[in-house]
């Protein structure tokens, strides 16, 4: 059993986008702040109340809202953020599809939307429009009206099938 | 928004967790954190320590048997949605949104006992049992466990270890939830389990959530349907009877009057949907 006192900091270890990081946190520190402080500012804070999904990341293979996870809770996890998607200067197919289908305006929701799409497509590689809408129901966009986001995810599913990794 | 200063305990096994919680009454177990962390950020609660029970692997399982299914308290809504459990798996798909379902646990839901949570409608309809462990172990019916809203039958130092539901083979089922917006808690949720034989209903169970302090079974409506030939008329009458079991309060999700009326609508939908399967 490990006990961390309220005034104490503790070391946590995270693997983020394939690289190892170690950092000291207070128990009350939220994962979203830990990630942003380590430079992963693509992880956005929209609502801070677990509703908007702008802070969505992949933790140990599943999409989660990083504003609703504590840093200490994530100790030892593997994390993927939007910064980890492009490889060798080439965008991920979901990023390409968002670009081509004009699925963003201000872009605030986009990193969370793309991370959720990544998890969703891993679960359902060939989704219908209705399934896509249910799949992104934890992500709010205040600009686009969702139509182009849905089209982009559909397009991404086709791209990813044509070119599986 | 930041949680208040708090200590953090990582328990490696159940005994460590229950011992610590018993000695520190103002400490709280942390499962999925998706009720706790929002409350901490709003400073609604200020526990001395969080006791992280997430690494206790013997709370994390789903074991299907021929008579009953045992569900470890750390099973997430996502895991339950994939487990093919009659009624309960479908209920899990209606909770919140995908990210919340990846973190939230069934043990957390029934320990939190939000009056609008989804599982309680199904658990009450299924006659679920709850296994609780502190210094000793005991098993209680979910009905008795859910004493009142936000009030589970848990003594200091006790944790929910598993939820047990009968297998309900050959039953048809449906969980119908009305929500104000995608991902929200229910305005009303109706769970129906039924067994048919040709054109007649042999057994039926109807559970309601969000329209009382705790989930209830609409027993008189069940009795109206039991051992009858399926007809539009009897379904209409039974759905109206379900409405008698709704005692909702007016809030941002609707007026009491509205909620009572939609209880009938959702009950009818749930019965018809179950019959279709
Ligand atoms: C979702 C969305 C949809 C939109 N659709 C349309 C559309 O269909 N058609 C359209 O025309 N526009 C559209 N816009 C743009 C909108 O009208 C903007 O408000 C406008 O382009 C900029 O005005 P602003 O006052 O917001 O400027 P700001 O964003 O405040 O400033 C814009 C730039 O001008 C400079 N600036 C501002 N005021 C002055 C000043 N008085 N003197 C010198 N420099 C100044 C700022 O320093 C800055 O560089 C859209 C915007 C959004 C977010
Ligand atoms: C945006 C959002 C939308 C939501 N929408 C819905 C919805 O539509 N329907 C719905 O039903 N729920 C909804 N929820 C709640 C969600 O299902 C939570 O996950 C759930 O209520 C709590 O589970 P948890 O594992 O996260 O518990 P935690 O937050 O970790 O714990 C909750 C409480 O239970 C106690 N506890 C946890 N596990 C145990 C245990 N094994 N034994 C004893 N005590 C324990 C904790 O100490 C705490 O007091 C929503 C949550 C969010 C953030
Ligand atoms: S910032 Fe996390 S859900 Fe909105
Ligand atoms: S593009 Fe602005 S919030 Fe989605």
């Amino acid at each position: 059993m490990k006990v961390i006192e309220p005034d104490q900091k503790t070391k946590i270890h995270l693997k983020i986008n394939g690289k190892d990081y170690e950092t000291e946190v207070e128990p009350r520190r939220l994962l979203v702040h830990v990630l942003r402080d380590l430079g992963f500012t693509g992880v956005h804070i929209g609502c801070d109340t677990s509703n908007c999904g702008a802070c969505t990341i992949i933790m140990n293979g599943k999409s989660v809202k990083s504003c609703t996870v504590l840093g200490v809770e994530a100790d030892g996890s593997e994390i993927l953020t939007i910064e980890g998607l492009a490889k060798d200067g080439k965008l991920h197919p979901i990023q390409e599809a968002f670009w081509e289908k004009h699925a963003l305006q201000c872009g605030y929701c986009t990193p969370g939307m793309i991370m959720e799409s990544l998890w969703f497509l891993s679960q359902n590689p060939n989704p219908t429009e209705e399934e896509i809408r249910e799949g992104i129901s934890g992500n709010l966009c205040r600009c686009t009206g969702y139509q182009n986001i849905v089209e982009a995810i559909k397009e991404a599913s086709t791209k990813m099938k044509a070119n599986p990794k | 928004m930041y949680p208040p200063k708090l200590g953090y305990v990582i328990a490696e096994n159940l005994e460590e967790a229950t011992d610590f919680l018993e000695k520190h009454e103002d400490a709280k177990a942390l499962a999925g954190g998706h009720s706790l962390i929002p409350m901490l950020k709003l400073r609604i609660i200020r526990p001395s320590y969080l006791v992280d029970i997430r690494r206790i692997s013997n709370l994390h399982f789903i074991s299907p048997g021929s008579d009953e299914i045992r569900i470890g308290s750390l099973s997430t809504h996502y895991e339950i949605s994939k487990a093919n459990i009659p009624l309960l798996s479908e209920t899990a798909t209606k909770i919140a949104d995908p990210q919340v379902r990846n973190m939230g646990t069934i043990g957390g839901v029934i320990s939190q006992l939000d009056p609008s949570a989804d599982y309680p409608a199904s658990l009450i309809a299924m006659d679920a049992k709850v296994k609780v462990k502190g210094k000793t172990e005991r098993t209680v019916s979910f009905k008795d466990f859910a004493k009142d809203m936000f009030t589970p039958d848990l003594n200091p130092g006790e944790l929910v270890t598993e939820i047990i539901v009968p297998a309900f083979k050959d039953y048809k089922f449906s969980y119908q939830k009305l929500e104000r917006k995608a991902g929200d808690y229910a305005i009303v949720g109706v769970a129906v389990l039924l067994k048919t034989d040709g054109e007649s209903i042999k057994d039926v169970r109807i559970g309601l959530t969000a329209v009382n302090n705790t989930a209830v079974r609409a027993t008189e409506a069940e009795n109206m349907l039991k051992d009858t030939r399926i007809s539009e008329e009897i379904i209409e009458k039974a759905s109206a009877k379900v409405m008698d079991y709704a005692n909702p309060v007016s809030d941002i999700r609707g007026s009491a009057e509205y909620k009572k009326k939609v209880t009938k609508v959702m009950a009818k939908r749930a019965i018809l949907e179950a019959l279709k399967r």
Side-chain angles (χ1 to χ4, degrees), chain A residues 1-2 4-7 27-28 33 48-49 56 62-63 65 67-68 73 116 119 123 134-135 138-139, chain B residues 1-10 16 34 37-38 41 49-50 54-55 78 97-99 101-103:
Chain A
M1 185 165 75
K2 181 169 166 185
I4 308 154
E5 298 299 335
D7 284 316
R28 64 178 180 146
H33 295 128
D48 215 357
T49 56
T56 301
K62 300 221 169 74
S63 62
K65 294 174 176 172
C67 74
T68 317
E73 199 185 333
E116 185 55 30
W119 188 75
Q123 297 291 303
E134 184 346 268
N139 294 73
Chain B
M1 293 190 298
Y2 303 94
K5 265 202 163 66
L6 42 76
Y8 199 84
V9 176
I10 299 168
E16 285 181 359
H34 273 49
I37 295 174
K41 289 209 257 180
Y49 292 89
L50 292 182
R54 300 166 52 77
R55 287 157 213 247
Y78 169 75
D97 57 51
Q99 291 98 317
R101 293 198 289 272
N102 279 339
M103 287 298 289

Side-chain angles (χ1 to χ4, degrees), chain B residues 142-204:
Chain B
F142 175 70
K143 186 171 186 295
D144 293 337
F145 178 82
K147 289 198 294 192
D148 200 348
M149 62 163 112
F150 304 114
T151 316
D153 174 20
L154 284 173
N155 300 312
E158 281 188 327
L159 287 173
V160 173
T161 54
E162 63 183 76
I163 291 91
I164 304 156
V165 295
F168 287 108
K169 272 189 237 109
D170 311 324
Y171 274 74
K172 303 166 189 253
F173 54 85
S174 176
Y175 177 69
Q176 293 290 323
K177 172 181 186 176
L178 185 66
E179 51 190 8
R180 197 169 52 116
K181 56 183 169 60
D184 199 9
Y185 280 93
I187 298 169
V188 56
V190 184
V192 167
L193 270 166
L194 50 81
K195 191 172 179 163
T196 52
D197 180 7
E199 287 299 293
S200 52
I201 297 177
K202 284 289 146 208
D203 189 23
V204 57

